[in-house]
Amino acid sequence: MTVSYFVRNCYGPGVEKSAGSSQGRRRLTRERVLTAAVGVADAGGIGALTIRSLAQELGAKPMSVYYHVANKDAILDGIVDVVFSEIELPSPGGDWRSELRRRAASARQVLRRHRWAIGLMESRTTPGPATLRHHDAVIATLRAAGFSLEMTAHAYALIDSYTYGFALQEAGLPFEGPDTVAPVADSIMEQFAAGDYPHLVEMATGYYFKTSYDFADEFDFGLNLILNGLSNSLHPGNDS
């Protein structure tokens, strides 16, 4: 789902001319404003997103932007909802582990595109329709699997803590992909004697350097442990 498609369908066209615009100039809509806001945040981080920078991105006056979003909080509400709209929804009718695995993988990929969103996803007190629809679908999937309300709360918190935490750590790593691990590790180890931190050196030389290690692969490993553990809470003794 594209950003523009989501905004248009959830919020309506809301088409109005920007102040002082000519007949041939593109008109401002809530869709355009939120799409541009996501672009500004993607390019410069959430700190770069202001009414002034957004107006500049749109080629409009700040007062024209205020017609579609009342303030900075309204912009944040809107762009967080846009991000939620990009995450694949789980289906309560499918295998719950497969559905939640697919949803978590999708969330991670979306957060890689919008790294500024990691700390904002659960911060809004006036969530939009995509946010609410997303949470409802996850809860429905867990409930359909047979989890009690209490275990649904535990499972949801555990999966999201892992997903957001992994995305946060991944965004902060000084390397990306297996080809960059060894050079970064080499430069770090040059700063100390091997005997100072023997276990760290053993891990780097005995595993990272020899296996084309890719931190991204750890996501599936950890997620499978979580899903298997939750499955065991439903069916004690089942280690599948």
PDB file of all heavy atoms in Angstrom, residues 195-226:
ATOM      1  N   GLY A 195      44.794 -10.017  24.050  1.00  0.00           N
ATOM      2  CA  GLY A 195      44.666 -10.606  25.374  1.00  0.00           C
ATOM      3  C   GLY A 195      43.781  -9.826  26.320  1.00  0.00           C
ATOM      4  O   GLY A 195      43.374 -10.347  27.367  1.00  0.00           O
ATOM      5  N   ASP A 196      43.468  -8.586  25.970  1.00  0.00           N
ATOM      6  CA  ASP A 196      42.630  -7.763  26.854  1.00  0.00           C
ATOM      7  C   ASP A 196      41.184  -8.256  26.876  1.00  0.00           C
ATOM      8  O   ASP A 196      40.526  -8.221  27.920  1.00  0.00           O
ATOM      9  CB  ASP A 196      42.663  -6.303  26.409  1.00  0.00           C
ATOM     10  CG  ASP A 196      44.019  -5.651  26.623  1.00  0.00           C
ATOM     11  OD1 ASP A 196      44.836  -6.227  27.376  1.00  0.00           O
ATOM     12  OD2 ASP A 196      44.263  -4.581  26.031  1.00  0.00           O
ATOM     13  N   TYR A 197      40.693  -8.673  25.737  1.00  0.00           N
ATOM     14  CA  TYR A 197      39.296  -9.117  25.621  1.00  0.00           C
ATOM     15  C   TYR A 197      39.259 -10.418  24.819  1.00  0.00           C
ATOM     16  O   TYR A 197      38.798 -10.448  23.667  1.00  0.00           O
ATOM     17  CB  TYR A 197      38.444  -8.039  24.941  1.00  0.00           C
ATOM     18  CG  TYR A 197      38.578  -6.676  25.591  1.00  0.00           C
ATOM     19  CD1 TYR A 197      39.368  -5.688  25.007  1.00  0.00           C
ATOM     20  CD2 TYR A 197      37.944  -6.394  26.798  1.00  0.00           C
ATOM     21  CE1 TYR A 197      39.512  -4.448  25.602  1.00  0.00           C
ATOM     22  CE2 TYR A 197      38.078  -5.161  27.407  1.00  0.00           C
ATOM     23  CZ  TYR A 197      38.866  -4.189  26.803  1.00  0.00           C
ATOM     24  OH  TYR A 197      39.015  -2.965  27.400  1.00  0.00           O
ATOM     25  N   PRO A 198      39.738 -11.512  25.401  1.00  0.00           N
ATOM     26  CA  PRO A 198      39.925 -12.758  24.646  1.00  0.00           C
ATOM     27  C   PRO A 198      38.635 -13.358  24.098  1.00  0.00           C
ATOM     28  O   PRO A 198      38.629 -13.941  23.009  1.00  0.00           O
ATOM     29  CB  PRO A 198      40.583 -13.691  25.664  1.00  0.00           C
ATOM     30  CG  PRO A 198      40.203 -13.130  27.002  1.00  0.00           C
ATOM     31  CD  PRO A 198      40.147 -11.656  26.809  1.00  0.00           C
ATOM     32  N   HIS A 199      37.553 -13.237  24.840  1.00  0.00           N
ATOM     33  CA  HIS A 199      36.297 -13.841  24.371  1.00  0.00           C
ATOM     34  C   HIS A 199      35.713 -13.059  23.195  1.00  0.00           C
ATOM     35  O   HIS A 199      35.118 -13.648  22.280  1.00  0.00           O
ATOM     36  CB  HIS A 199      35.293 -13.919  25.518  1.00  0.00           C
ATOM     37  CG  HIS A 199      35.797 -14.703  26.691  1.00  0.00           C
ATOM     38  ND1 HIS A 199      36.083 -16.046  26.616  1.00  0.00           N
ATOM     39  CD2 HIS A 199      36.094 -14.329  27.965  1.00  0.00           C
ATOM     40  CE1 HIS A 199      36.521 -16.478  27.790  1.00  0.00           C
ATOM     41  NE2 HIS A 199      36.535 -15.448  28.621  1.00  0.00           N
ATOM     42  N   LEU A 200      35.873 -11.757  23.222  1.00  0.00           N
ATOM     43  CA  LEU A 200      35.426 -10.935  22.104  1.00  0.00           C
ATOM     44  C   LEU A 200      36.219 -11.272  20.842  1.00  0.00           C
ATOM     45  O   LEU A 200      35.651 -11.423  19.749  1.00  0.00           O
ATOM     46  CB  LEU A 200      35.595  -9.453  22.456  1.00  0.00           C
ATOM     47  CG  LEU A 200      35.140  -8.431  21.414  1.00  0.00           C
ATOM     48  CD1 LEU A 200      33.658  -8.584  21.125  1.00  0.00           C
ATOM     49  CD2 LEU A 200      35.444  -7.014  21.902  1.00  0.00           C
ATOM     50  N   VAL A 201      37.531 -11.414  20.996  1.00  0.00           N
ATOM     51  CA  VAL A 201      38.377 -11.767  19.856  1.00  0.00           C
ATOM     52  C   VAL A 201      38.026 -13.155  19.338  1.00  0.00           C
ATOM     53  O   VAL A 201      37.965 -13.397  18.127  1.00  0.00           O
ATOM     54  CB  VAL A 201      39.866 -11.690  20.247  1.00  0.00           C
ATOM     55  CG1 VAL A 201      40.745 -12.254  19.129  1.00  0.00           C
ATOM     56  CG2 VAL A 201      40.256 -10.254  20.567  1.00  0.00           C
ATOM     57  N   GLU A 202      37.777 -14.089  20.258  1.00  0.00           N
ATOM     58  CA  GLU A 202      37.402 -15.446  19.853  1.00  0.00           C
ATOM     59  C   GLU A 202      36.116 -15.436  19.029  1.00  0.00           C
ATOM     60  O   GLU A 202      36.013 -16.124  18.001  1.00  0.00           O
ATOM     61  CB  GLU A 202      37.218 -16.327  21.083  1.00  0.00           C
ATOM     62  CG  GLU A 202      36.790 -17.751  20.744  1.00  0.00           C
ATOM     63  CD  GLU A 202      36.391 -18.552  21.972  1.00  0.00           C
ATOM     64  OE1 GLU A 202      35.856 -17.953  22.938  1.00  0.00           O
ATOM     65  OE2 GLU A 202      36.599 -19.779  21.969  1.00  0.00           O
ATOM     66  N   MET A 203      35.127 -14.664  19.464  1.00  0.00           N
ATOM     67  CA  MET A 203      33.864 -14.596  18.734  1.00  0.00           C
ATOM     68  C   MET A 203      34.072 -14.001  17.338  1.00  0.00           C
ATOM     69  O   MET A 203      33.536 -14.509  16.339  1.00  0.00           O
ATOM     70  CB  MET A 203      32.850 -13.753  19.517  1.00  0.00           C
ATOM     71  CG  MET A 203      31.523 -13.552  18.803  1.00  0.00           C
ATOM     72  SD  MET A 203      30.610 -15.091  18.523  1.00  0.00           S
ATOM     73  CE  MET A 203      30.013 -15.415  20.176  1.00  0.00           C
ATOM     74  N   ALA A 204      34.874 -12.947  17.268  1.00  0.00           N
ATOM     75  CA  ALA A 204      35.091 -12.282  15.981  1.00  0.00           C
ATOM     76  C   ALA A 204      35.866 -13.167  15.015  1.00  0.00           C
ATOM     77  O   ALA A 204      35.454 -13.371  13.862  1.00  0.00           O
ATOM     78  CB  ALA A 204      35.822 -10.958  16.196  1.00  0.00           C
ATOM     79  N   THR A 205      36.991 -13.709  15.475  1.00  0.00           N
ATOM     80  CA  THR A 205      37.854 -14.481  14.575  1.00  0.00           C
ATOM     81  C   THR A 205      37.350 -15.902  14.345  1.00  0.00           C
ATOM     82  O   THR A 205      37.565 -16.483  13.278  1.00  0.00           O
ATOM     83  CB  THR A 205      39.285 -14.539  15.123  1.00  0.00           C
ATOM     84  OG1 THR A 205      39.268 -15.155  16.428  1.00  0.00           O
ATOM     85  CG2 THR A 205      39.877 -13.143  15.237  1.00  0.00           C
ATOM     86  N   GLY A 206      36.673 -16.464  15.338  1.00  0.00           N
ATOM     87  CA  GLY A 206      36.226 -17.845  15.219  1.00  0.00           C
ATOM     88  C   GLY A 206      34.859 -18.012  14.602  1.00  0.00           C
ATOM     89  O   GLY A 206      34.503 -19.099  14.140  1.00  0.00           O
ATOM     90  N   TYR A 207      34.078 -16.921  14.567  1.00  0.00           N
ATOM     91  CA  TYR A 207      32.722 -17.043  14.021  1.00  0.00           C
ATOM     92  C   TYR A 207      32.400 -15.949  13.006  1.00  0.00           C
ATOM     93  O   TYR A 207      32.113 -16.247  11.843  1.00  0.00           O
ATOM     94  CB  TYR A 207      31.697 -17.024  15.152  1.00  0.00           C
ATOM     95  CG  TYR A 207      30.274 -17.189  14.662  1.00  0.00           C
ATOM     96  CD1 TYR A 207      29.869 -18.368  14.040  1.00  0.00           C
ATOM     97  CD2 TYR A 207      29.346 -16.163  14.799  1.00  0.00           C
ATOM     98  CE1 TYR A 207      28.570 -18.521  13.564  1.00  0.00           C
ATOM     99  CE2 TYR A 207      28.043 -16.308  14.332  1.00  0.00           C
ATOM    100  CZ  TYR A 207      27.662 -17.483  13.716  1.00  0.00           C
ATOM    101  OH  TYR A 207      26.386 -17.633  13.247  1.00  0.00           O
ATOM    102  N   TYR A 208      32.448 -14.684  13.420  1.00  0.00           N
ATOM    103  CA  TYR A 208      32.045 -13.612  12.519  1.00  0.00           C
ATOM    104  C   TYR A 208      32.841 -13.612  11.220  1.00  0.00           C
ATOM    105  O   TYR A 208      32.287 -13.479  10.131  1.00  0.00           O
ATOM    106  CB  TYR A 208      32.199 -12.248  13.200  1.00  0.00           C
ATOM    107  CG  TYR A 208      31.274 -12.025  14.375  1.00  0.00           C
ATOM    108  CD1 TYR A 208      31.635 -11.181  15.421  1.00  0.00           C
ATOM    109  CD2 TYR A 208      30.029 -12.647  14.442  1.00  0.00           C
ATOM    110  CE1 TYR A 208      30.798 -10.966  16.499  1.00  0.00           C
ATOM    111  CE2 TYR A 208      29.185 -12.448  15.517  1.00  0.00           C
ATOM    112  CZ  TYR A 208      29.565 -11.603  16.549  1.00  0.00           C
ATOM    113  OH  TYR A 208      28.736 -11.399  17.612  1.00  0.00           O
ATOM    114  N   PHE A 209      34.162 -13.773  11.319  1.00  0.00           N
ATOM    115  CA  PHE A 209      35.009 -13.686  10.135  1.00  0.00           C
ATOM    116  C   PHE A 209      34.908 -14.926   9.245  1.00  0.00           C
ATOM    117  O   PHE A 209      35.217 -14.867   8.061  1.00  0.00           O
ATOM    118  CB  PHE A 209      36.474 -13.494  10.535  1.00  0.00           C
ATOM    119  CG  PHE A 209      36.762 -12.171  11.191  1.00  0.00           C
ATOM    120  CD1 PHE A 209      38.018 -11.908  11.709  1.00  0.00           C
ATOM    121  CD2 PHE A 209      35.796 -11.188  11.288  1.00  0.00           C
ATOM    122  CE1 PHE A 209      38.298 -10.691  12.321  1.00  0.00           C
ATOM    123  CE2 PHE A 209      36.061  -9.970  11.895  1.00  0.00           C
ATOM    124  CZ  PHE A 209      37.311  -9.722  12.414  1.00  0.00           C
ATOM    125  N   LYS A 210      34.490 -16.049   9.802  1.00  0.00           N
ATOM    126  CA  LYS A 210      34.520 -17.312   9.064  1.00  0.00           C
ATOM    127  C   LYS A 210      33.171 -17.705   8.462  1.00  0.00           C
ATOM    128  O   LYS A 210      33.102 -18.661   7.695  1.00  0.00           O
ATOM    129  CB  LYS A 210      34.993 -18.441   9.979  1.00  0.00           C
ATOM    130  CG  LYS A 210      36.464 -18.330  10.391  1.00  0.00           C
ATOM    131  CD  LYS A 210      36.876 -19.521  11.243  1.00  0.00           C
ATOM    132  CE  LYS A 210      38.355 -19.460  11.594  1.00  0.00           C
ATOM    133  NZ  LYS A 210      38.775 -20.614  12.428  1.00  0.00           N
ATOM    134  N   THR A 211      32.119 -17.011   8.808  1.00  0.00           N
ATOM    135  CA  THR A 211      30.783 -17.481   8.425  1.00  0.00           C
ATOM    136  C   THR A 211      29.985 -16.494   7.588  1.00  0.00           C
ATOM    137  O   THR A 211      28.795 -16.690   7.387  1.00  0.00           O
ATOM    138  CB  THR A 211      29.964 -17.809   9.687  1.00  0.00           C
ATOM    139  OG1 THR A 211      29.831 -16.616  10.483  1.00  0.00           O
ATOM    140  CG2 THR A 211      30.634 -18.897  10.505  1.00  0.00           C
ATOM    141  N   SER A 212      30.595 -15.433   7.094  1.00  0.00           N
ATOM    142  CA  SER A 212      29.841 -14.389   6.383  1.00  0.00           C
ATOM    143  C   SER A 212      28.658 -13.940   7.233  1.00  0.00           C
ATOM    144  O   SER A 212      27.508 -13.869   6.774  1.00  0.00           O
ATOM    145  CB  SER A 212      29.352 -14.899   5.017  1.00  0.00           C
ATOM    146  OG  SER A 212      30.432 -15.235   4.192  1.00  0.00           O
ATOM    147  N   TYR A 213      28.968 -13.645   8.479  1.00  0.00           N
ATOM    148  CA  TYR A 213      27.933 -13.309   9.455  1.00  0.00           C
ATOM    149  C   TYR A 213      27.121 -12.096   9.015  1.00  0.00           C
ATOM    150  O   TYR A 213      27.667 -11.081   8.589  1.00  0.00           O
ATOM    151  CB  TYR A 213      28.577 -13.025  10.809  1.00  0.00           C
ATOM    152  CG  TYR A 213      27.586 -12.593  11.874  1.00  0.00           C
ATOM    153  CD1 TYR A 213      26.783 -13.535  12.507  1.00  0.00           C
ATOM    154  CD2 TYR A 213      27.447 -11.252  12.224  1.00  0.00           C
ATOM    155  CE1 TYR A 213      25.868 -13.151  13.475  1.00  0.00           C
ATOM    156  CE2 TYR A 213      26.537 -10.861  13.191  1.00  0.00           C
ATOM    157  CZ  TYR A 213      25.750 -11.811  13.813  1.00  0.00           C
ATOM    158  OH  TYR A 213      24.844 -11.435  14.769  1.00  0.00           O
ATOM    159  N   ASP A 214      25.809 -12.218   9.132  1.00  0.00           N
ATOM    160  CA  ASP A 214      24.899 -11.117   8.811  1.00  0.00           C
ATOM    161  C   ASP A 214      23.945 -10.931   9.987  1.00  0.00           C
ATOM    162  O   ASP A 214      23.135 -11.811  10.291  1.00  0.00           O
ATOM    163  CB  ASP A 214      24.120 -11.432   7.534  1.00  0.00           C
ATOM    164  CG  ASP A 214      23.335 -10.227   7.020  1.00  0.00           C
ATOM    165  OD1 ASP A 214      23.256  -9.212   7.741  1.00  0.00           O
ATOM    166  OD2 ASP A 214      22.796 -10.307   5.903  1.00  0.00           O
ATOM    167  N   PHE A 215      24.051  -9.797  10.648  1.00  0.00           N
ATOM    168  CA  PHE A 215      23.204  -9.535  11.813  1.00  0.00           C
ATOM    169  C   PHE A 215      21.723  -9.647  11.464  1.00  0.00           C
ATOM    170  O   PHE A 215      20.905 -10.051  12.301  1.00  0.00           O
ATOM    171  CB  PHE A 215      23.501  -8.142  12.371  1.00  0.00           C
ATOM    172  CG  PHE A 215      22.654  -7.774  13.556  1.00  0.00           C
ATOM    173  CD1 PHE A 215      22.943  -8.280  14.819  1.00  0.00           C
ATOM    174  CD2 PHE A 215      21.564  -6.928  13.418  1.00  0.00           C
ATOM    175  CE1 PHE A 215      22.154  -7.951  15.916  1.00  0.00           C
ATOM    176  CE2 PHE A 215      20.776  -6.590  14.508  1.00  0.00           C
ATOM    177  CZ  PHE A 215      21.072  -7.102  15.761  1.00  0.00           C
ATOM    178  N   ALA A 216      21.351  -9.317  10.241  1.00  0.00           N
ATOM    179  CA  ALA A 216      19.944  -9.355   9.839  1.00  0.00           C
ATOM    180  C   ALA A 216      19.341 -10.746  10.003  1.00  0.00           C
ATOM    181  O   ALA A 216      18.137 -10.889  10.264  1.00  0.00           O
ATOM    182  CB  ALA A 216      19.802  -8.895   8.391  1.00  0.00           C
ATOM    183  N   ASP A 217      20.175 -11.788   9.875  1.00  0.00           N
ATOM    184  CA  ASP A 217      19.669 -13.158  10.008  1.00  0.00           C
ATOM    185  C   ASP A 217      19.222 -13.479  11.433  1.00  0.00           C
ATOM    186  O   ASP A 217      18.475 -14.442  11.645  1.00  0.00           O
ATOM    187  CB  ASP A 217      20.746 -14.160   9.585  1.00  0.00           C
ATOM    188  CG  ASP A 217      21.079 -14.060   8.105  1.00  0.00           C
ATOM    189  OD1 ASP A 217      20.236 -13.550   7.343  1.00  0.00           O
ATOM    190  OD2 ASP A 217      22.191 -14.481   7.720  1.00  0.00           O
ATOM    191  N   GLU A 218      19.691 -12.696  12.388  1.00  0.00           N
ATOM    192  CA  GLU A 218      19.332 -12.957  13.780  1.00  0.00           C
ATOM    193  C   GLU A 218      17.850 -12.697  14.047  1.00  0.00           C
ATOM    194  O   GLU A 218      17.284 -13.224  15.010  1.00  0.00           O
ATOM    195  CB  GLU A 218      20.175 -12.088  14.719  1.00  0.00           C
ATOM    196  CG  GLU A 218      21.677 -12.282  14.598  1.00  0.00           C
ATOM    197  CD  GLU A 218      22.147 -13.646  15.076  1.00  0.00           C
ATOM    198  OE1 GLU A 218      21.306 -14.472  15.489  1.00  0.00           O
ATOM    199  OE2 GLU A 218      23.365 -13.882  15.030  1.00  0.00           O
ATOM    200  N   PHE A 219      17.226 -11.883  13.203  1.00  0.00           N
ATOM    201  CA  PHE A 219      15.823 -11.542  13.442  1.00  0.00           C
ATOM    202  C   PHE A 219      14.941 -12.785  13.416  1.00  0.00           C
ATOM    203  O   PHE A 219      14.136 -13.009  14.325  1.00  0.00           O
ATOM    204  CB  PHE A 219      15.335 -10.529  12.405  1.00  0.00           C
ATOM    205  CG  PHE A 219      13.916 -10.081  12.633  1.00  0.00           C
ATOM    206  CD1 PHE A 219      13.618  -9.168  13.628  1.00  0.00           C
ATOM    207  CD2 PHE A 219      12.874 -10.579  11.858  1.00  0.00           C
ATOM    208  CE1 PHE A 219      12.312  -8.757  13.857  1.00  0.00           C
ATOM    209  CE2 PHE A 219      11.571 -10.178  12.068  1.00  0.00           C
ATOM    210  CZ  PHE A 219      11.290  -9.261  13.074  1.00  0.00           C
ATOM    211  N   ASP A 220      15.083 -13.589  12.382  1.00  0.00           N
ATOM    212  CA  ASP A 220      14.251 -14.795  12.271  1.00  0.00           C
ATOM    213  C   ASP A 220      14.543 -15.778  13.399  1.00  0.00           C
ATOM    214  O   ASP A 220      13.628 -16.434  13.912  1.00  0.00           O
ATOM    215  CB  ASP A 220      14.480 -15.470  10.921  1.00  0.00           C
ATOM    216  CG  ASP A 220      13.852 -14.695   9.777  1.00  0.00           C
ATOM    217  OD1 ASP A 220      12.947 -13.886  10.028  1.00  0.00           O
ATOM    218  OD2 ASP A 220      14.279 -14.898   8.623  1.00  0.00           O
ATOM    219  N   PHE A 221      15.815 -15.893  13.774  1.00  0.00           N
ATOM    220  CA  PHE A 221      16.183 -16.814  14.849  1.00  0.00           C
ATOM    221  C   PHE A 221      15.471 -16.434  16.147  1.00  0.00           C
ATOM    222  O   PHE A 221      14.836 -17.273  16.802  1.00  0.00           O
ATOM    223  CB  PHE A 221      17.698 -16.797  15.058  1.00  0.00           C
ATOM    224  CG  PHE A 221      18.174 -17.680  16.179  1.00  0.00           C
ATOM    225  CD1 PHE A 221      18.369 -19.037  15.978  1.00  0.00           C
ATOM    226  CD2 PHE A 221      18.423 -17.155  17.443  1.00  0.00           C
ATOM    227  CE1 PHE A 221      18.802 -19.858  17.016  1.00  0.00           C
ATOM    228  CE2 PHE A 221      18.853 -17.966  18.483  1.00  0.00           C
ATOM    229  CZ  PHE A 221      19.045 -19.320  18.270  1.00  0.00           C
ATOM    230  N   GLY A 222      15.554 -15.171  16.523  1.00  0.00           N
ATOM    231  CA  GLY A 222      14.924 -14.728  17.762  1.00  0.00           C
ATOM    232  C   GLY A 222      13.413 -14.788  17.702  1.00  0.00           C
ATOM    233  O   GLY A 222      12.749 -15.176  18.675  1.00  0.00           O
ATOM    234  N   LEU A 223      12.849 -14.398  16.554  1.00  0.00           N
ATOM    235  CA  LEU A 223      11.392 -14.414  16.420  1.00  0.00           C
ATOM    236  C   LEU A 223      10.848 -15.830  16.518  1.00  0.00           C
ATOM    237  O   LEU A 223       9.806 -16.072  17.148  1.00  0.00           O
ATOM    238  CB  LEU A 223      10.991 -13.775  15.087  1.00  0.00           C
ATOM    239  CG  LEU A 223       9.492 -13.654  14.824  1.00  0.00           C
ATOM    240  CD1 LEU A 223       8.813 -12.794  15.883  1.00  0.00           C
ATOM    241  CD2 LEU A 223       9.246 -13.073  13.432  1.00  0.00           C
ATOM    242  N   ASN A 224      11.546 -16.790  15.920  1.00  0.00           N
ATOM    243  CA  ASN A 224      11.097 -18.183  16.005  1.00  0.00           C
ATOM    244  C   ASN A 224      11.130 -18.695  17.445  1.00  0.00           C
ATOM    245  O   ASN A 224      10.240 -19.453  17.865  1.00  0.00           O
ATOM    246  CB  ASN A 224      11.960 -19.071  15.115  1.00  0.00           C
ATOM    247  CG  ASN A 224      11.617 -18.922  13.646  1.00  0.00           C
ATOM    248  OD1 ASN A 224      10.492 -18.573  13.296  1.00  0.00           O
ATOM    249  ND2 ASN A 224      12.585 -19.172  12.776  1.00  0.00           N
ATOM    250  N   LEU A 225      12.142 -18.306  18.208  1.00  0.00           N
ATOM    251  CA  LEU A 225      12.189 -18.697  19.619  1.00  0.00           C
ATOM    252  C   LEU A 225      10.971 -18.161  20.367  1.00  0.00           C
ATOM    253  O   LEU A 225      10.355 -18.864  21.182  1.00  0.00           O
ATOM    254  CB  LEU A 225      13.468 -18.177  20.271  1.00  0.00           C
ATOM    255  CG  LEU A 225      14.783 -18.876  19.921  1.00  0.00           C
ATOM    256  CD1 LEU A 225      15.938 -18.214  20.665  1.00  0.00           C
ATOM    257  CD2 LEU A 225      14.720 -20.364  20.277  1.00  0.00           C
ATOM    258  N   ILE A 226      10.623 -16.912  20.097  1.00  0.00           N
ATOM    259  CA  ILE A 226       9.476 -16.299  20.768  1.00  0.00           C
ATOM    260  C   ILE A 226       8.183 -17.003  20.378  1.00  0.00           C
ATOM    261  O   ILE A 226       7.360 -17.358  21.239  1.00  0.00           O
ATOM    262  CB  ILE A 226       9.405 -14.802  20.425  1.00  0.00           C
ATOM    263  CG1 ILE A 226      10.558 -14.050  21.092  1.00  0.00           C
ATOM    264  CG2 ILE A 226       8.062 -14.208  20.857  1.00  0.00           C
ATOM    265  CD1 ILE A 226      10.688 -12.609  20.647  1.00  0.00           C
TER     266      ILE A 226
END
